[in-house]
Amino acid sequence: MMLTDKVAVITGAASGIGKDIAKVYLAAGAKVAIADLNIDAANATALEFDPSGERAMGVAMDVTHEDQVDAGIEAVVAKFGGIDILVSNAGIQIVAPVVDYSFANWKKMLAIHLDGAFLTTKACLKHMYAQGRGGSVIYMGSVHSKEASKLKSAYVTAKHGLVGLAKVVAKEGAEHHVRANVICPGFVRTPLVEKQIPEQAKELGISEDDVVKKVMLAETVDGEFTTVDDVAQVALFLAGFPSNALTGQSIVVSHGWFMQ
């Protein structure tokens, strides 16, 4: 198995993409920490995947609070003996035109997506460096790490920022055999995306069906959503890659998304 006895921390893993990555990692032999703001959901997910409690654990973590991040990572190390993989996946979406976007929501979005990525990276790198066995840091970006859409100023800014962070971590981590990469999925029909459909329909004055066909999937080859398993398989590939030959990259996972 590709990840036999590797220890992975996945943020926002009680649902959606993060949950599927956790499932795939466990199947590949990893020990997995389900880090989430909702500890009950995190514990339930860990129990669902591993009733024995030996290879999966729930961790309470608000990624915008350094003390919670540090405490959560230390709890994982105490149980599993180290950290080999970080998947920084926690995120939310708030849509509005720039002229109506509140500064509070702007700061909230950047705090979760960027501050959270920085804080979890910092906490995990200390252990990866000290262990001397390398590691993999994977950021959940988006096609919006490379493109832009109306109503998503904070999200696009944050997702672009993850690419810059990954490049720095790739350079700093190279001497410690720590890789850093960004997965950039197309639209995945998770609860986060489902919530956006009526919101964008209202803001843009179009039907929900048009939001899906003319906004979300307009640039794809086949008009299909990316699946959570599409993303999870790329996360597995990156986590199990055997050398530093693949680092500092942003990898698009989509049904033929055309970059402008």
Side-chain angles (χ1 to χ4, degrees), residues 1 9 40 48 50 63 66 77 85 101 109 118 139-140 148 167-168 183 190-191 194-195 239 244 247 254:
M1 293 188 289
V9 176
D40 291 336
E48 174 189 346
D50 176 33
V63 297
E66 187 171 16
V77 173
I85 303 158
Y101 215 104
M109 287 288 291
F118 167 74
Y139 300 106
M140 195 55 61
K167 289 179 178 179
V168 173
I183 300 176
T190 61
E194 289 286 358
K195 179 175 177 290
N244 273 6
T247 189
S254 182

Side-chain angles (χ1 to χ4, degrees), residues 3-244:
L3 303 182
T4 299
D5 292 331
K6 297 292 186 182
V7 179
V9 176
I10 307 170
T11 65
S15 63
I17 292 172
K19 184 174 181 178
D20 207 64
I21 293 173
K23 183 178 180 180
V24 168
Y25 278 12
L26 281 162
K31 299 174 182 178
V32 177
I34 312 290
D36 204 276
L37 189 64
N38 185 336
I39 185 56
D40 291 336
N43 286 334
T45 298
L47 185 63
E48 174 189 346
F49 290 161
D50 176 33
S52 73
E54 295 177 358
R55 305 189 67 83
M57 66 182 291
V59 180
M61 189 180 293
D62 181 338
V63 297
T64 68
H65 286 75
E66 187 171 16
D67 56 345
Q68 287 196 34
V69 171
D70 290 345
I73 296 304
E74 291 306 318
V76 176
V77 173
K79 181 174 176 67
F80 291 142
I83 305 285
D84 299 290
I85 303 158
L86 167 66
V87 181
S88 178
N89 168 74
I92 64 168
Q93 180 63 280
I94 302 172
V95 298
V98 172
V99 294
D100 297 326
Y101 215 104
S102 74
F103 189 38
N105 281 340
W106 171 272
K107 290 189 288 184
K108 181 178 181 179
M109 287 288 291
L110 267 61
I112 293 170
H113 290 271
L114 279 180
D115 295 354
F118 167 74
L119 290 173
T120 51
T121 299
K122 181 181 178 182
C124 289
L125 284 182
K126 292 177 181 178
H127 292 284
M128 290 179 181
Y129 289 177
Q131 291 160 186
R133 59 182 189 241
S136 177
V137 178
I138 299 171
Y139 300 106
M140 195 55 61
S142 165
V143 290
H144 291 101
S145 294
K146 299 171 177 289
E147 292 281 310
S149 292
K150 292 179 179 180
L151 311 178
K152 297 183 178 181
S153 55
Y155 186 83
V156 171
T157 299
K159 294 304 188 183
H160 272 65
L162 290 176
V163 175
L165 178 59
K167 289 179 178 179
V168 173
V169 174
K171 287 194 171 186
E172 292 186 0
E175 65 183 279
H176 302 280
H177 303 288
V178 173
R179 307 179 302 282
N181 293 286
V182 187
I183 300 176
C184 301
F187 283 98
V188 182
R189 200 145 192 174
T190 61
L192 187 70
V193 168
E194 289 286 358
K195 179 175 177 290
Q196 293 176 51
I197 295 172
E199 291 174 344
Q200 291 200 47
K202 181 179 178 181
E203 289 287 351
L204 297 172
I206 59 178
S207 70
E208 292 186 14
D209 189 56
D210 279 347
V211 169
V212 172
K213 293 180 179 178
K214 298 180 179 179
V215 177
M216 292 183 169
L217 303 180
E219 300 299 324
T220 62
V221 170
D222 57 9
E224 296 289 337
F225 281 98
T226 304
T227 70
V228 291
D229 193 59
D230 290 335
V231 181
Q233 292 301 325
V234 174
L236 175 61
F237 171 76
L238 290 174
F241 201 78
S243 77
N244 273 6

